[in-house]
Amino acid sequence: MSASIEDSLARVDRATEALKPNLIALARELIACRTDSQSADNPEFPGEALRCQDIIARRMLQLGMEIERWIEPPHYPVVVGRIPGSGGGRSLAFNGHVDVVPVGDNAAWQHDPWAGEISDGRLWGRGAADMKGGVAACLTAIQAIVESGVDHAGDIWMHVVADEEVVGFSTRNLAARLPNVDAVIVAEPTDLRVMPAEGGLVHFRIEFEGRESHAGNRYMSARAGGPGDAGGVNAVEKAMKVAAGLQDLERHWAATRSHPMLPAGFNTILPGIIMGGPGGGRDGQLRLISNPGTTPNYCSIEYNLWWLPQERYEDIVREIEAYVASICEADPWLRAHPPRFTWKLRNIWFPPANTAPDHPFIDVLGNAVRRTGLSVGIEGFTAASELAWYAEHDIVGSIFGPGRIAQAHSPNEYVEISQLILAARTMAMTAAAWCA
C-alpha cells in the first residue's frame, strides 16, 4: 500500500473517531422515529418514515451530497445520496433500511423502545441493531471522508429505504434505476464479521385436489377390492406423500451439496403452512371449514426454500417440480390430478449473492477491519438481505454492520456503542481505500 493511501486511511480513521458524539446522536435520532412497517394497522408509519428519511436527507445535504428522493408505492420513502469522485476510480454504495419490526409487548422492554437510551455501554431501542445503528455508521463514515478532505476518485453513494422488513421493492428497483456501482456494503448486523455470500430464498405453494365423501365411506377406499376413488380421495394424505418425498430430497441436498461460507445443510425445504379440508380452496385458503367428518378435497402446503449461492433459481424450480412429478407418477390419482405450483409466493424471493472471499473488495474491507484491531471473520449470511438485489446486477459486495442478529426483532434490542464506532471506522477506511 502506498504512503499516500496509508496517510489517507490514517486521516479518515482519526476523523471518524472524532465523530463519535455525532454518530451516537444520529443513531438516537433515528431510533426515535416510530417506523414500524409490519403492523398493517400502524397509522404512524407513513409520517414517521418520512420524518426519519428527512433526518437522513438533511445530513446528506450538510455533507454536500447530491440527493434524489421518491416514494416507493404505496408509502415507502427512499433517499439516495452521492458524493462525486474526482474521476476514474471505483465506486462504492452503502445500503441501509430505516423501517423496523413491531415493538410487541412494551412490558417486555427494560428501556423505552423509542428513546435510544444509553446504558452499560449500549444504545437501546427498536432498530438499534436492525439497522438504524448501521445506517448511522454509514453516514458517519461518509462524513469522515468529507471532513478529512481525503481525495477519492470514485463516487460514494448512500441508499436508504424504508420497506425492507416487508420485503418491499425499493432496493430492487433502485438497483435497476441507478447507475451500477463497483461494490456495496449492506449494513445489516453481522457482529462486525464480513459476510459476502448468502443463499437464495423463495416461498412457494403446492396445491392438491381430492374428492369429497362422507367419512363413513372411507372404508370403501381403504379395503382391498373396494371401489377406490368413489369412496373419496383425501387431499391431505396425497399432500403428505409429497411432503415426505421433499423431506427426503432435503436430506439428499444436505448430504451432497454445500458452500464453503455457509453451514452444512443450509439448503433446506421447510414446510411452514399447511391448509386442508373440504369445500375446495383458492390462494392457499379453504373455502369451507366444518369438521373432519368429510374427506377433504383440498390441501395446500407453503414452503420456505433456501438454495446455495452457486445455484440458479431456474434449476431449483425445475428440480423441485420434476421430483414432485416423479412422486406423483407412482400414485394413480396424483398422476391424473397433478398438484399445482405457485412460485415467488407473496413476492417472497431473493436471488443469492456470492462474492468470492478473495475478491479485491473483500481484501480491502478485511484490511480495514484489521486496522481497527479486530480479527477478520469471513462467513455466509444465514438470512436474506438487500445484497441480493445488487448481486442480481453482478455487483460485488458484503453484508457488514454493527450489532448481532440475535438482538434483532427481540425485546430489549441494543447495539454496543463500541461496535458502532468500529463499524464506522471500518466503513470509512474501506471507502477511502476502494474509491482512492
Side-chain angles (χ1 to χ4, degrees):
M1 189 176 292
S2 69
S4 61
I5 293 294
E6 285 283 356
D7 177 66
S8 294
L9 295 182
R11 287 165 56 192
V12 166
D13 197 23
R14 289 193 298 270
T16 312
E17 285 274 17
L19 288 169
K20 177 179 176 179
N22 303 59
L23 169 56
I24 295 171
L26 175 58
R28 295 187 70 197
E29 197 174 3
L30 298 179
I31 290 170
C33 299
R34 299 172 181 249
T35 52
D36 161 20
S37 62
Q38 285 191 347
S39 296
D41 59 347
N42 178 17
E44 292 183 315
F45 176 77
E48 287 292 283
L50 196 58
R51 179 166 78 95
C52 197
Q53 293 287 48
D54 284 345
I55 293 168
I56 290 167
R58 282 197 300 271
R59 182 63 63 98
M60 288 179 174
L61 289 172
Q62 290 167 2
L63 296 177
M65 300 182 78
E66 301 171 356
I67 72 167
E68 184 178 355
R69 304 185 67 173
W70 67 88
I71 299 294
E72 192 70 35
H75 52 212
Y76 301 110
V78 179
V79 179
V80 170
R82 179 179 76 108
I83 298 181
S86 56
R90 298 174 296 196
S91 57
L92 174 66
F94 295 101
N95 170 279
H97 66 86
V98 293
D99 61 317
V100 298
V101 298
V103 165
D105 182 6
N106 277 283
W109 289 75
Q110 296 174 345
H111 301 269
D112 183 338
W114 305 113
E117 295 177 8
I118 296 173
S119 174
D120 301 322
R122 297 168 174 174
L123 175 61
W124 301 80
R126 177 55 85 223
D130 186 19
M131 59 176 291
K132 291 175 176 179
V135 170
C138 294
L139 278 168
T140 301
I142 295 173
Q143 184 176 356
I145 295 283
V146 171
E147 294 191 358
S148 67
V150 167
D151 179 63
H152 53 95
D155 295 348
I156 301 175
W157 293 79
M158 183 78 200
H159 301 161
V160 187
V161 303
D163 60 358
E164 191 271 349
E165 298 290 2
V166 292
V167 196
F169 282 85
S170 292
T171 294
R172 68 184 83 180
N173 284 345
L174 73 80
R177 170 176 178 167
L178 300 173
N180 272 10
V181 292
D182 293 304
V184 63
I185 291 176
V186 176
E188 292 281 7
T190 66
D191 201 18
L192 302 181
R193 290 180 172 86
V194 177
M195 298 187 175
E198 65 180 50
L201 168 68
V202 68
H203 286 187
F204 70 97
R205 177 192 296 137
I206 313 178
E207 294 176 277
F208 299 85
E209 174 187 346
R211 177 177 292 162
E212 287 179 320
S213 184
H214 190 284
N217 295 328
R218 180 172 172 83
Y219 77 93
M220 291 192 294
S221 59
R223 71 176 177 85
D229 296 349
V233 177
N234 192 315
V236 171
E237 291 179 333
K238 298 303 182 184
M240 289 168 61
K241 282 189 175 185
V242 170
L246 287 177
Q247 189 175 37
D248 289 339
L249 179 63
E250 179 185 52
R251 294 192 186 102
H252 175 71
W253 282 3
T256 60
R257 304 179 187 180
S258 63
H259 186 276
M261 284 186 279
L262 287 169
F266 176 77
N267 43 337
T268 52
I269 311 169
L270 169 71
I273 297 175
I274 184 166
M275 180 74 72
R282 185 178 63 185
D283 294 331
Q285 301 296 311
L286 285 175
R287 292 195 181 96
L288 171 68
I289 298 177
S290 56
N291 60 60
T294 301
T295 299
N297 70 334
Y298 178 80
C299 187
S300 70
I301 309 179
E302 297 187 2
Y303 281 91
N304 181 103
L305 185 153
W306 294 101
W307 72 94
L308 298 175
Q310 71 272 25
E311 297 176 317
R312 293 182 349 117
Y313 169 72
E314 295 80 7
D315 295 336
I316 293 296
V317 169
R318 280 193 292 269
E319 182 175 4
I320 292 288
E321 292 192 354
Y323 193 87
V324 170
S326 69
I327 297 169
C328 295
E329 189 62 27
D331 181 290
W333 176 266
L334 288 174
R335 188 167 61 246
H337 303 82
R340 302 181 299 276
F341 284 84
T342 302
W343 292 93
K344 300 183 181 179
L345 189 62
R346 303 183 191 92
N347 197 43
I348 306 293
W349 84 284
F350 289 78
N354 197 27
T355 300
D358 59 353
H359 188 279
F361 176 70
I362 304 304
D363 287 342
V364 168
L365 178 56
N367 287 335
V369 172
R370 290 187 192 93
R371 290 181 71 96
T372 69
L374 297 176
S375 59
V376 180
I378 300 180
E379 58 194 66
F381 192 60
T382 56
S385 83
E386 305 281 46
L387 183 61
W389 307 115
Y390 296 93
E392 192 174 37
H393 295 273
D394 297 321
I395 297 171
V396 301
S398 180
I399 308 157
F400 174 83
R404 300 175 182 88
I405 201 70
Q407 270 76 59
H409 297 205
S410 66
N412 299 311
E413 182 179 352
Y414 68 86
V415 64
E416 293 174 359
I417 290 174
S418 61
Q419 284 214 358
L420 278 178
I421 300 299
L422 289 168
R425 289 174 60 197
T426 300
M427 292 168 176
M429 288 189 286
T430 298
W434 180 253
C435 301

